[in-house]
Amino acid sequence: MRSNVGIRLRRNASALALLAGLVAAAGVARAADTRPVVETDLGAVKGVAADGVAVFKGIPFAAPPTGELRWRPTQAARRWKGERDAAEFGPNCPQPSRSGGEAGPQSEDCLTLNVVTPDPKGKLPVLVSIHGGAFFVGSGRYLIDRGIPEIVRRGVVLVSPNYRIGRLGFFAHPAMAGGGEAVGNYWLMDQIAALEWVKRNIARFGGDPGNVTILGCSAGGSSVNSLVASPAARGLFARASVHSGGGFFNATRPLATAEQQGREFAARAGAPGDGADALAKLRTLTPAEIIAADPGPPNFGAIIDGRLLRDQVSVSFAKGDTADVPVISGSTSNEASVFGLMGFDRKVLAARFGVDVDALRPAYEADGPLDEAELLRQVQTDFIFTSAATGMAALADKAGRPAYAYHFDHVGAAQRGKVPGAAHCEDMRYTFATAPLADAQDQRVARMMQDYFLNYVRAGDPNGPGLPAWPRYGAQAPAPLVIGAETRAVPGFRARQLAPWYAKWSADTGQAFPR
């Protein structure tokens, strides 16, 4: 075994007592308790062997962001002595309780990650999965908690970190100005710190630090867009995959806007004012008190701080001010399924984003009138998600980055014929096979999705033998891969419905959209 890999297996055999009175004159075989141990740069971690893979949970990658470290850039974790037990997940970062939410305890001491490896002695491609949850719920346990993803068994090392969410991860305040350190994007600082940990340590788990793919859905997809745009993340990954991550109209805000939102939060939390005393008081609040001061739909997103993010993420894509890596960008056909969580109804679309649903009728009703519910569903789906999935791919292509766009329209057997399309992030269920797929059509789609993404994480191109051709997305000849009953690239996909969104993006940013 190579010494620089850092894996060692320890066998602590102990004799089992004979079952007196039940088995006469019969011995019971000695059982070996074998658990994998990896020596990281901070200390040894002891995982578990499960279903043919090695699993390490709750590994600290940064110091607890508590006390005076609340709303401070991510700090290095301290070394530990001996073997740290990595059999259980670390706490989730603080978040509101909700039905069907993440299991397990919560704590601000939450900057941990999980690693699953099928071959600790290999040099395998690495997939870092950033969890979603509208930037206010969720955790890195979401994939592993549902079983070992099939794509891992096929030769991929999976890493899934936590990061600060909600107001603890997104906060700017005038009292922070002049401190000489980055402010606001604590969530992004955490994600970058996790990627730095991967670069330093993943070879010890059988992964190739030069072959890292970052992937995320929803807020995780938005995170991947931001990581691609951030100068601080350059060199930490080789390719990116954005699933239902938006990028055109959601989230990003100037630092001045974030500071005003921080003032409003501070006042709600009982610490009004711009001075250091207000910030000091906020650092004494409990996580529950901080969460309680942000009622209503979540409104968290990337902050243009001039350091981690130099511009709106889409504008950085348009200017080519991004990592020089391939990008996959996609969405599903019924993204409106998530709008109840996000609170983007007709009224909010108008007030917050300037979207007049009725003014869009000509683009959406060329083939016949739509009832109110269906019109709103299509507008919601295209507004943040479809337009950005294709649009961000077009911007990446314009900047010379290999880009692939997709539109996932497959509905599983249980919902087929009952819903108008594939739900938000539904494609992830097939890519990672995190739920039973008894239907032959579901199984076919799952195998195809896994093949595409296994090819991509290995070599940066999803195409391979036996798969429908997935062409690079050209701004001058756009053809996303539409995945459904039939899977094929569709030139001019939803061109009429998407045209108003491209025009709105151009008007909002002052950038010409590639045609």
Side-chain angles (χ1 to χ4, degrees), residues 36-80:
V37 176
V38 172
E39 190 75 41
T40 76
D41 63 348
L42 295 173
V45 289
K46 187 174 185 178
V48 295
D51 298 329
V53 301
V55 182
F56 301 83
K57 302 176 181 177
I59 305 173
F61 66 87
T66 58
E68 287 301 311
L69 294 185
R70 179 187 283 176
W71 298 312
R72 293 286 310 280
T74 317
Q75 304 292 307
R78 291 184 177 180
R79 288 188 57 85
W80 58 84

Side-chain angles (χ1 to χ4, degrees), residues 338-364:
V338 78
F339 274 73
L341 173 67
M342 299 172 70
F344 293 171
D345 58 15
R346 178 189 270 260
K347 182 178 179 180
V348 172
L349 288 175
R352 185 167 157 190
F353 299 103
V355 173
D356 183 345
V357 174
D358 291 323
L360 293 164
R361 284 187 180 276
Y364 281 83

Side-chain angles (χ1 to χ4, degrees), residues 466-513:
L467 294 170
W470 188 348
R472 284 176 55 168
Y473 194 87
Q476 304 304 316
L481 186 75
V482 178
I483 301 162
E486 178 186 2
T487 296
R488 63 186 181 90
V490 178
F493 174 75
R494 289 184 73 79
R496 185 182 68 249
Q497 294 93 332
L498 295 179
W501 302 116
Y502 298 153
K504 175 175 170 55
W505 177 83
S506 291
D508 289 351
T509 64
Q511 301 287 316
F513 186 78

Side-chain angles (χ1 to χ4, degrees), residues 369-409:
L370 301 173
D371 63 37
E372 168 68 15
E374 178 59 16
L375 174 64
L376 184 60
R377 185 193 75 80
Q378 290 193 32
V379 167
Q380 289 174 330
T381 292
D382 289 345
F383 163 52
I384 286 183
F385 297 104
T386 320
S387 62
T390 53
M392 295 292 276
L395 297 179
D397 171 79
K398 179 186 177 184
R401 315 297 193 236
Y404 301 87
Y406 73 88
H407 183 79
F408 190 83
D409 190 33

Side-chain angles (χ1 to χ4, degrees), residues 290-306:
I290 290 172
I291 291 170
D294 272 318
N299 182 18
F300 304 106
I303 299 168
I304 304 169
D305 65 342

